Each structure stands twice: as C-alpha cells, then as structure tokens.
Amino acid sequence: MAVNYGLVDAPIFLVSEELERERSRYYDLLNGIRGNDPDWYSWLSFFVDCCGTMANKLVSKMQDLIKLAEKGMKLLSTVSEQKVWIASFHNPFLTAMEVSREVELSPATVRRALKSLADKELLYTPKDQQRKRTYVNYDLLRILNS
C-alpha cells in the first residue's frame, strides 16, 4: 500500500519469506480451511504469527541501520561528510557526480568526502579504480540482505 502512495520504492514487509520457511505447515494449514469443516483459527493464527516474526525482523534491521548511521556520524567531522554518509543510505552505490546532485555540493567537495569516508572504512572503493570511482556502503547492504 505504501508503494502505491510513493512512500517507499518497493515492498519492505514480505510475509512470503516466512511462509516459504514454514512451507510444509503453510500448505497443511491452508488445506485445512477447505472443505465442509474449515479450521480458520489455526490458519489465521499461523499467518499472524508469521507476520509477527517478519515485523520483528524488520524492526531489528531498522535498529541495526540506526546504529550504523550513528556510528558513522560519530566519526565524521564535516557537514559535507555527514551529507554524503546519509546519501549512502538512499543509495549504497555512490559516484561523486550522483551524490553531488543529491546533496547539492560541488563534485570536488563530494570526492573529498567520499575519500574520507573510505579512509574511515565507512565506504569501500576498489583501490585500482581511478576514474568514475564507485563507493559502496557494504555494511548497509549486509544489514538489508540479512
């Protein structure tokens, strides 16, 4: 629903992940609501439990993301570094030109901030890449993909 209103870019609450993990029970309980004597209580109870599990996982991820953002902010000394750090939470794959447009800072300022974030090991960039460097917030990706 939030996707329809432009609040998020993609669904973030996918109960299907938990249903897949509980596949056998899912199908057994789903089959139990068919026929003349459907057991709706067991099915609904199971489904609500799966939703609760997924909600708890989502809350845990959000807490981890907040901790990561705060950890980074404590290491940063300039406003430009802070703006670039926060931009890495909008898009974990960053280039100086893209970030420059997003945070409305000059490309040179953004490049210095990106280098500083990489030096502080908040972002990663391949050492051999010289032009059009891409910086990645791997800690963010690790949390999102866990």
Side-chain angles (χ1 to χ4, degrees), residues 99-117:
V99 176
S100 175
R101 284 190 290 269
E102 181 178 340
V103 300
E104 298 179 348
L105 294 171
S106 73
T109 300
V110 169
R111 272 192 284 284
R112 279 192 302 276
L114 286 167
K115 183 182 180 325
S116 176
L117 291 171

Side-chain angles (χ1 to χ4, degrees), residues 10 14 23 44 58 74 82 112 126 128 132 139-140 146:
L14 300 172
R23 183 178 221 173
L44 290 172
L58 191 56
K74 287 178 184 174
Q82 292 170 350
R112 279 192 302 276
D128 61 346
K132 295 185 180 180
D139 291 331
L140 171 72
S146 66

Side-chain angles (χ1 to χ4, degrees), residues 80-113:
S80 58
E81 289 174 342
Q82 292 170 350
K83 286 183 175 185
V84 172
W85 175 239
I86 295 303
S88 77
F89 285 77
H90 300 162
N91 179 3
F93 299 93
L94 306 139
T95 64
M97 293 307 290
E98 291 169 350
V99 176
S100 175
R101 284 190 290 269
E102 181 178 340
V103 300
E104 298 179 348
L105 294 171
S106 73
T109 300
V110 169
R111 272 192 284 284
R112 279 192 302 276

Side-chain angles (χ1 to χ4, degrees), residues 5-21:
Y5 292 102
L7 299 175
V8 295
D9 294 333
I12 57 171
F13 185 85
L14 300 172
V15 74
S16 58
E17 179 182 319
E18 188 63 19
L19 296 177
E20 184 62 33
R21 210 179 334 274

